[in-house]
Amino acid sequence: KYHEQHERKVIHSIKVGTALVLVSLLYLLDPLFKHVGESSMWAIMTVVLIYDFFAGATLSKGILRGIGTILGGVVAQYCRMIPSIKRKCDYGIMIYILTFNLVAVSGLRADRIWELARLRLIAIAMGVAIVIITNLLIYPMWAGDELHNLTSSKFNKLACCIEECMEASFGVGEKKGHLSININGCKSVLNSKSNDESLANFAKWEPWHGNFGFSYPWEKYLKIGELLRELAAIILPLHACIALQLQASTTLQQPIKDTCKNAGLSLGLTMRELGESILKMKRGQEKVLNIPALQSFKLELTVLSTSGLQAIENVEGLAIANILFLLMEIVDKVKVLAKEVEELGEIAGFESK
């Protein structure tokens, strides 16, 4: 994965370099320079400012910059105050205002301002065209693909965390008590909100590509991402409780050992099935997703928790009660995730297995 990311960064650098070489021809070739003149600088500035890693981000910045250049400062500043537009287009609107005001304060007479504005608009349009062509035609990086794959990988990360927690707590042999649980995956899911929102915003600007058409339900990915972060927030205290639970006596652990371990395995399997369902864009079935099994485990955990509360006499016993409670919360959250993934499959037209 590291080599793949490095390769994509190298390709992006080559694309930016190609775009800058092409836009520099406006200066270097006399026939082009005679038509555009000193306004060629604006084409170069446009390439530098709007070129982005993802095609959707480049499209949004390029289109909005062109619109803003035409509309001018007053309308653009008003639009900037609208929360939904500010969240999605604030960067582009800021560039519009800069462009408009640089023209306005250029100190030229009215008859020359229109000519200057025309030349700069042409230069900006050339820069936008070069950026869009090089970004979309030369190995395009799709924000939609990135969000799709990242969302799927989060299920696997959290599945590993749940399984490792249960194995460390209720496993056998060397695995029992092994506390080197990879909790970094859980933390990365918790810190993914801003990245998910940016990718979803860029994905909405992208043209039809692969399995992602127009009006694709990217908002559903954001909702699933929020549920995954809530699940990660439950797993973290579960990991903390295990350190205390490991000190509990075998007498306290034995009654809940099999149920908790099997529940952890079932949760991990279900999470992986959900992640695979999104990745392969295929709808799962309730039996495959172990929903009935999760219902059964939820009932068993509830019974164990109710009876166990009467036997709490020390910190270790409280830790075990907390583990049971957190496991029940995880089961509920996974059931909600399964429902959301199924709804995503219906809206997005996933294939049935």
Side-chain angles (χ1 to χ4, degrees):
K1 187 175 181 61
Y2 171 78
H3 292 294
E4 180 182 350
Q5 292 177 347
H6 181 70
E7 180 182 349
R8 295 172 69 190
K9 291 178 181 178
V10 171
I11 292 174
H12 174 68
S13 301
I14 294 173
K15 289 162 61 176
V16 175
T18 302
L20 288 173
V21 169
L22 292 175
V23 78
S24 298
L25 296 178
L26 295 176
Y27 262 120
L28 300 177
L29 299 181
D30 289 337
L32 295 176
F33 185 80
K34 289 179 180 178
H35 284 84
V36 182
E38 295 295 334
S39 294
S40 303
M41 172 190 67
W42 287 88
I44 297 176
M45 289 175 58
T46 298
V47 171
V48 174
L49 288 172
I50 73 173
Y51 214 111
D52 202 282
F53 188 83
F54 294 109
T58 298
L59 279 172
S60 65
K61 292 178 182 178
I63 294 173
L64 291 174
R65 179 184 172 99
I67 295 174
T69 305
I70 297 172
L71 293 180
V74 177
V75 177
Q77 181 63 31
Y78 176 78
C79 294
R80 197 179 183 190
M81 298 298 104
I82 302 174
S84 59
I85 296 180
K86 180 177 177 64
R87 184 175 66 253
K88 298 177 181 179
C89 313
D90 188 61
Y91 172 83
I93 294 175
M94 179 182 66
I95 298 300
Y96 311 160
I97 297 172
L98 173 65
T99 304
F100 179 81
N101 281 280
L102 284 177
V103 173
V105 301
S106 58
L108 299 176
R109 297 177 61 87
D111 55 343
R112 292 205 56 197
I113 287 180
W114 289 110
E115 176 65 17
L116 178 63
R118 185 184 69 84
L119 292 176
R120 290 186 179 180
L121 181 60
I122 293 174
I124 290 173
M126 289 181 176
V128 171
I130 290 172
V131 169
I132 291 178
I133 291 173
T134 56
N135 207 326
L136 266 67
L137 298 185
I138 304 176
Y139 198 85
M141 311 293 183
W142 303 113
D145 290 349
E146 186 78 4
L147 179 59
H148 181 81
N149 295 331
L150 284 177
T151 301
S152 174
S153 67
K154 290 176 188 176
F155 283 89
N156 293 328
K157 290 178 180 178
L158 296 184
C160 290
C161 290
I162 295 172
E163 291 172 344
E164 289 176 2
C165 284
M166 292 299 99
E167 196 63 47
S169 185
F170 302 103
V172 294
E174 295 181 355
K175 292 184 179 180
K176 179 176 174 60
H178 186 61
L179 274 177
S180 60
I181 301 170
N182 185 13
I183 208 68
N184 290 330
C186 193
K187 293 179 179 179
S188 68
V189 172
L190 273 176
N191 297 325
S192 63
K193 181 177 181 178
S194 60
N195 186 49
D196 288 355
E197 291 178 347
S198 296
L199 290 174
N201 182 35
F202 297 151
K204 294 174 183 177
W205 288 88
E206 293 175 348
W208 191 304
H209 63 282
N211 295 319
F212 307 111
F214 298 113
S215 301
Y216 193 79
W218 297 115
E219 294 83 3
K220 205 68 174 175
Y221 281 80
L222 294 179
K223 187 173 182 180
I224 291 174
E226 188 63 32
L227 289 171
L228 288 169
R229 284 188 287 274
E230 292 175 4
L231 178 58
I234 300 173
I235 296 174
L236 283 177
L238 175 65
H239 172 260
C241 287
I242 287 178
L244 290 174
Q245 187 268 341
L246 291 173
Q247 302 172 14
S249 64
T250 306
T251 306
L252 290 174
Q253 293 181 4
Q254 195 61 37
I256 66 171
K257 176 180 177 181
D258 292 338
T259 300
C260 290
K261 187 176 179 181
N262 292 334
L265 292 174
S266 182
L267 286 167
L269 178 61
T270 303
M271 289 290 289
R272 285 192 170 85
E273 287 286 342
L274 292 173
E276 184 180 3
S277 175
I278 292 179
L279 181 64
K280 296 183 177 180
M281 304 184 77
K282 292 185 177 181
R283 297 172 62 180
Q285 299 175 357
E286 189 176 83
K287 184 177 180 181
V288 176
L289 295 174
N290 287 322
I291 302 303
L294 291 180
Q295 287 280 76
S296 176
F297 284 126
K298 173 67 182 298
L299 180 60
E300 292 181 38
L301 291 169
T302 302
V303 172
L304 289 172
S305 178
T306 303
S307 60
L309 286 174
Q310 302 173 358
I312 294 176
E313 298 177 354
N314 50 34
V315 176
E316 290 81 10
L318 182 61
I320 290 179
N322 284 335
I323 288 176
L324 292 174
F325 173 76
L326 291 171
L327 272 177
M328 288 189 289
E329 290 292 309
I330 291 174
V331 170
D332 287 339
K333 194 64 65 177
V334 171
K335 287 164 58 180
V336 175
L337 275 167
K339 180 181 178 181
E340 290 296 328
V341 173
E342 182 64 20
E343 289 181 1
L344 171 64
E346 293 178 1
I347 300 172
F350 287 4
E351 296 180 9
S352 298
K353 287 188 178 181

